[in-house]
C-alpha cells in the first residue's frame, strides 16, 4: 500500500473513532466515507498506466485511424490489415494522439490486427473489424478506461 493510501486510511479511522465518542452514527458515517475514498484510490491505481489503442476507418474509407484513448504512451507497434495484405508500423503515440495511415483505395470491409508495446515493456494486441458501412466494434458498455483487467 502506498503512503498516501495509508495516510487517508489512518486519518479516516482516527476521525471515525473521534466522532464515535460524540455520536456513534457520525463515526459510522465517517467509516463509510473513508472506505469510499480508499476504494476510489484503489481504482485510480488500477487504471494508471494503461494504453488503449483503437482502430477505425476514416469517414471516406480511404485511411485507417488509430487513436490512443488510454492514459499511457505506447512506444510503437505493428498493424496488419486482413485480407488486404497491407502492413505498416505504428509510431509512438501519447494519450489522445491519433495517427492516420492513408490507403490507395477505399476499403469496404477488413480487420485490423494491432500489436503494440507500452513504455514499461508490456506487449499488447487487439483486433478491430473495419467497415465503411459504419458497423464497427464500438462497445457502448466498455468503460472509458480499462478497469480490473478489462483487456
Amino acid at each position: 500500500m502506498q503512503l498516501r493510501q495509508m495516510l487517508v486510511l489512518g486519518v479516516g479511522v482516527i476521525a471515525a473513532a473521534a466522532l464515535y465518542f460524540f455520536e456513534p452514527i457520525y463515526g459510522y458515517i465517517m467509516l463509510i466515507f473513508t472506505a469510499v475514498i480508499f476504494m476510489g484510490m484503489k481504482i485510480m491505481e488500477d487504471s494508471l498506466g494503461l494504453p488503449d489503442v483503437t482502430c477505425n476507418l476514416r469517414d471516406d474509407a480511404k485511411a485507417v485511424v488509430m487513436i490512443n484513448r488510454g492514459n499511457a504512451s505506447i512506444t510503437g507497434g505493428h498493424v496488419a490489415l486482413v485480407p488486404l495484405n497491407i502492413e505498416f508500423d505504428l509510431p509512438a503515440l501519447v494519450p489522445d494522439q491519433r495517427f492516420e495511415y492513408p490507403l490507395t483505395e477505399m476499403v469496404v470491409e477488413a480487420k485490423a490486427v494491432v500489436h503494440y508495446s507500452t513504455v514499461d515493456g508490456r506487449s499488447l494486441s487487439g483486433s478491430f473489424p473495419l467497415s465503411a458501412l459504419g458497423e464497427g466494434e464500438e462497445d457502448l458498455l466498455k468503460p472509458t478506461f480499462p478497469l480490473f483487467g478489462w483487456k
Side-chain angles (χ1 to χ4, degrees):
M1 214 176 341
Q2 294 179 357
L3 179 64
R4 186 177 299 158
Q5 292 173 347
M6 289 180 62
L7 183 67
V8 166
L9 196 59
V11 168
V13 169
I14 291 171
L19 287 172
Y20 183 79
F21 289 114
F22 292 112
E23 184 69 37
I25 192 73
Y26 293 150
Y28 293 134
I29 291 172
M30 187 62 194
L31 274 178
I32 291 172
F33 282 153
T34 303
V36 168
I37 291 171
F38 183 72
M39 285 189 297
M41 291 177 80
K42 281 298 203 183
I43 289 173
M44 286 183 348
E45 178 183 311
D46 187 37
S47 66
L48 186 66
L50 292 175
D52 184 23
V53 176
T54 61
C55 187
N56 294 312
L57 281 177
R58 198 169 58 193
D59 286 339
D60 63 358
K62 287 189 174 184
V64 178
V65 179
M66 272 76 57
I67 303 172
N68 183 3
R69 292 185 180 170
N71 56 12
S73 300
I74 64 169
T75 58
H78 186 75
V79 179
L81 298 179
V82 180
L84 303 176
N85 199 20
I86 298 174
E87 295 186 33
F88 58 93
D89 289 326
L90 187 62
L93 294 175
V94 296
D96 296 327
Q97 185 180 7
R98 53 189 297 142
F99 171 75
E100 287 192 14
Y101 181 78
L103 301 170
T104 57
E105 58 187 28
M106 287 186 187
V107 174
V108 176
E109 200 167 348
K111 179 171 84 169
V113 180
V114 181
H115 298 281
Y116 56 94
S117 58
T118 61
V119 176
D120 59 354
R122 286 188 306 167
S123 80
L124 301 168
S125 64
S127 176
F128 304 95
L130 305 175
S131 175
L133 303 175
E135 298 174 10
E137 191 191 272
E138 196 62 33
D139 185 7
L140 297 177
L141 298 177
K142 184 177 178 181
T144 305
F145 48 89
L147 286 177
F148 307 115
W150 174 272
K151 290 188 153 242

PDB file of all heavy atoms in Angstrom, residues 72-75 117-122:
ATOM      1  N   ALA A  72      -1.644   6.159 -20.974  1.00  0.00           N
ATOM      2  CA  ALA A  72      -0.209   5.906 -21.031  1.00  0.00           C
ATOM      3  C   ALA A  72       0.234   5.883 -22.488  1.00  0.00           C
ATOM      4  O   ALA A  72      -0.553   5.598 -23.389  1.00  0.00           O
ATOM      5  CB  ALA A  72       0.129   4.581 -20.368  1.00  0.00           C
ATOM      6  N   SER A  73       1.488   6.179 -22.710  1.00  0.00           N
ATOM      7  CA  SER A  73       2.035   6.202 -24.059  1.00  0.00           C
ATOM      8  C   SER A  73       2.379   4.792 -24.530  1.00  0.00           C
ATOM      9  O   SER A  73       2.614   3.902 -23.729  1.00  0.00           O
ATOM     10  CB  SER A  73       3.304   7.043 -24.107  1.00  0.00           C
ATOM     11  OG  SER A  73       3.026   8.358 -23.723  1.00  0.00           O
ATOM     12  N   ILE A  74       2.402   4.623 -25.839  1.00  0.00           N
ATOM     13  CA  ILE A  74       2.912   3.388 -26.416  1.00  0.00           C
ATOM     14  C   ILE A  74       4.185   3.726 -27.172  1.00  0.00           C
ATOM     15  O   ILE A  74       4.349   4.840 -27.674  1.00  0.00           O
ATOM     16  CB  ILE A  74       1.887   2.693 -27.332  1.00  0.00           C
ATOM     17  CG1 ILE A  74       1.551   3.555 -28.543  1.00  0.00           C
ATOM     18  CG2 ILE A  74       0.633   2.341 -26.577  1.00  0.00           C
ATOM     19  CD1 ILE A  74       0.768   2.822 -29.595  1.00  0.00           C
ATOM     20  N   THR A  75       5.092   2.771 -27.247  1.00  0.00           N
ATOM     21  CA  THR A  75       6.386   3.042 -27.881  1.00  0.00           C
ATOM     22  C   THR A  75       6.381   2.740 -29.362  1.00  0.00           C
ATOM     23  O   THR A  75       7.314   3.094 -30.048  1.00  0.00           O
ATOM     24  CB  THR A  75       7.489   2.219 -27.208  1.00  0.00           C
ATOM     25  OG1 THR A  75       7.155   0.833 -27.297  1.00  0.00           O
ATOM     26  CG2 THR A  75       7.650   2.630 -25.766  1.00  0.00           C
ATOM     27  N   SER A 117       3.485  -2.047 -27.843  1.00  0.00           N
ATOM     28  CA  SER A 117       4.087  -2.255 -26.528  1.00  0.00           C
ATOM     29  C   SER A 117       4.025  -0.962 -25.732  1.00  0.00           C
ATOM     30  O   SER A 117       4.056   0.136 -26.286  1.00  0.00           O
ATOM     31  CB  SER A 117       5.523  -2.739 -26.652  1.00  0.00           C
ATOM     32  OG  SER A 117       6.288  -1.814 -27.379  1.00  0.00           O
ATOM     33  N   THR A 118       3.954  -1.112 -24.423  1.00  0.00           N
ATOM     34  CA  THR A 118       3.894   0.032 -23.533  1.00  0.00           C
ATOM     35  C   THR A 118       5.298   0.519 -23.228  1.00  0.00           C
ATOM     36  O   THR A 118       6.289  -0.116 -23.593  1.00  0.00           O
ATOM     37  CB  THR A 118       3.175  -0.323 -22.220  1.00  0.00           C
ATOM     38  OG1 THR A 118       3.913  -1.349 -21.567  1.00  0.00           O
ATOM     39  CG2 THR A 118       1.765  -0.799 -22.477  1.00  0.00           C
ATOM     40  N   VAL A 119       5.384   1.629 -22.536  1.00  0.00           N
ATOM     41  CA  VAL A 119       6.673   2.213 -22.179  1.00  0.00           C
ATOM     42  C   VAL A 119       7.436   1.284 -21.235  1.00  0.00           C
ATOM     43  O   VAL A 119       8.659   1.182 -21.302  1.00  0.00           O
ATOM     44  CB  VAL A 119       6.471   3.607 -21.549  1.00  0.00           C
ATOM     45  CG1 VAL A 119       7.777   4.199 -21.082  1.00  0.00           C
ATOM     46  CG2 VAL A 119       5.788   4.539 -22.539  1.00  0.00           C
ATOM     47  N   ASP A 120       6.716   0.578 -20.363  1.00  0.00           N
ATOM     48  CA  ASP A 120       7.390  -0.313 -19.421  1.00  0.00           C
ATOM     49  C   ASP A 120       7.677  -1.698 -19.993  1.00  0.00           C
ATOM     50  O   ASP A 120       8.134  -2.576 -19.283  1.00  0.00           O
ATOM     51  CB  ASP A 120       6.602  -0.422 -18.118  1.00  0.00           C
ATOM     52  CG  ASP A 120       5.194  -0.958 -18.322  1.00  0.00           C
ATOM     53  OD1 ASP A 120       4.782  -1.136 -19.473  1.00  0.00           O
ATOM     54  OD2 ASP A 120       4.500  -1.202 -17.313  1.00  0.00           O
ATOM     55  N   GLY A 121       7.400  -1.932 -21.277  1.00  0.00           N
ATOM     56  CA  GLY A 121       7.808  -3.163 -21.940  1.00  0.00           C
ATOM     57  C   GLY A 121       6.733  -4.217 -22.119  1.00  0.00           C
ATOM     58  O   GLY A 121       6.994  -5.248 -22.732  1.00  0.00           O
ATOM     59  N   ARG A 122       5.525  -3.999 -21.608  1.00  0.00           N
ATOM     60  CA  ARG A 122       4.456  -4.974 -21.828  1.00  0.00           C
ATOM     61  C   ARG A 122       4.000  -4.914 -23.272  1.00  0.00           C
ATOM     62  O   ARG A 122       3.841  -3.843 -23.836  1.00  0.00           O
ATOM     63  CB  ARG A 122       3.254  -4.679 -20.939  1.00  0.00           C
ATOM     64  CG  ARG A 122       3.446  -5.026 -19.500  1.00  0.00           C
ATOM     65  CD  ARG A 122       2.153  -4.885 -18.730  1.00  0.00           C
ATOM     66  NE  ARG A 122       1.593  -3.555 -18.930  1.00  0.00           N
ATOM     67  CZ  ARG A 122       0.371  -3.211 -18.603  1.00  0.00           C
ATOM     68  NH1 ARG A 122      -0.442  -4.085 -18.083  1.00  0.00           N
ATOM     69  NH2 ARG A 122      -0.056  -1.983 -18.807  1.00  0.00           N
TER      70      ARG A 122
END
